[in-house]
Amino acid sequence: MAAPSNGSGNLVEEFEESFQACLNVLTKQEASPCVEKEEVKVEVERFIDLARQMEAFFLQKRFLLSAMRPELLVKEDNNELKCELQRKEELLRRHYDKISQWQNLLADLQGHTVYNKCQQQSAQAPQAVQQAPAPQHVVQQSVQAQQMAAAAAAQQAALQQQAALQQQQVPRPPHPPAYPATVQRR
């Protein structure tokens, strides 16, 4: 690891100072263009050098930690996997919510379609009766048939709604199988 440049020994403070110096050079308005380019280049190189020193410092500490306390790395990996599982479960939950919304919308549309067909049939039947006079018992049978058709359509719509509700209550698939916590190495 390279030695700190200003001798204070605090790499983070030096890094912050270098960053501020880069910002100051870039926001300064009074310097000439060619001097400014050289000054910017020097400050950016210093900033990059300090960034590399900090990266080396943290990598060195990470290596020491992994050598001395390997269980901490396993614990960290385990926490990352748990977070990823939670994120994916939340995503699945949102997908299931959207699926149920679409199923409800589809059931509503299908229910309206059946209802509209029933209304059209009942509207067409009286017109046919008016066009050709028929005996009284034929008219009564026609009215009864229309009532039965309307009742059957209403019953079918109720069954479709009930099926849609049952689909919403279907339990979600179980969690994916868990992977073994420890892996045997040879």
Side-chain angles (χ1 to χ4, degrees):
M1 185 171 84
S5 58
N6 71 1
S8 70
N10 191 344
L11 195 57
V12 175
E13 287 178 5
E14 288 183 51
F15 184 71
E16 287 180 28
E17 289 172 7
S18 175
F19 179 70
Q20 288 296 329
C22 281
L23 287 180
N24 289 337
V25 168
L26 293 173
T27 57
K28 193 181 344 177
Q29 297 176 354
E30 57 201 48
S32 67
C34 95
V35 172
E36 187 175 310
K37 286 181 183 177
E38 287 298 319
E39 192 175 352
V40 168
K41 185 177 179 181
V42 169
E43 291 299 330
V44 168
E45 285 177 358
R46 181 171 177 258
F47 178 73
I48 290 172
D49 183 48
L50 288 171
R52 287 183 181 143
Q53 288 178 21
M54 278 187 56
E55 182 182 20
F57 174 79
F58 285 116
L59 286 174
Q60 192 176 43
K61 293 297 180 183
R62 177 83 175 180
F63 176 73
L64 288 173
L65 185 65
S66 68
M68 298 174 86
R69 305 273 312 263
E71 68 275 3
L72 291 178
L73 290 178
V74 172
K75 188 176 181 180
E76 182 182 333
D77 290 343
N78 192 17
N79 287 336
E80 287 176 7
L81 289 173
K82 283 180 184 178
C83 289
E84 186 175 346
L85 276 175
Q86 288 174 347
R87 182 184 61 81
K88 288 182 179 181
E89 285 174 356
E90 177 64 23
L91 184 65
L92 282 173
R93 187 192 60 76
R94 288 196 316 252
H95 283 302
Y96 282 123
D97 290 345
K98 287 195 185 257
I99 288 172
S100 66
Q101 289 174 356
W102 283 106
Q103 285 175 336
N104 288 338
L105 182 64
L106 183 60
D108 288 346
L109 289 175
Q110 288 175 344
H112 288 299
T113 303
V114 170
Y115 179 74
N116 289 340
K117 285 182 181 178
C118 180
Q119 282 184 341
Q120 288 174 355
Q121 288 175 353
S122 63
Q124 290 174 355
Q127 291 173 358
V129 170
Q130 290 174 356
Q131 289 174 357
Q136 185 65 23
H137 71 282
V138 175
V139 172
Q140 286 176 347
Q141 288 175 351
S142 174
V143 170
Q144 288 175 350
Q146 289 174 4
Q147 289 173 349
M148 288 174 53
Q155 186 178 12
Q156 185 180 9
L159 288 174
Q160 287 177 347
Q161 287 178 346
Q162 187 178 19
L165 288 174
Q166 287 176 349
Q167 285 179 349
Q168 288 177 358
Q169 295 174 353
V170 171
R172 294 191 173 123
H175 295 293
Y179 293 101
T182 58
V183 178
Q184 296 178 359
R185 296 183 181 178
R186 296 181 184 211

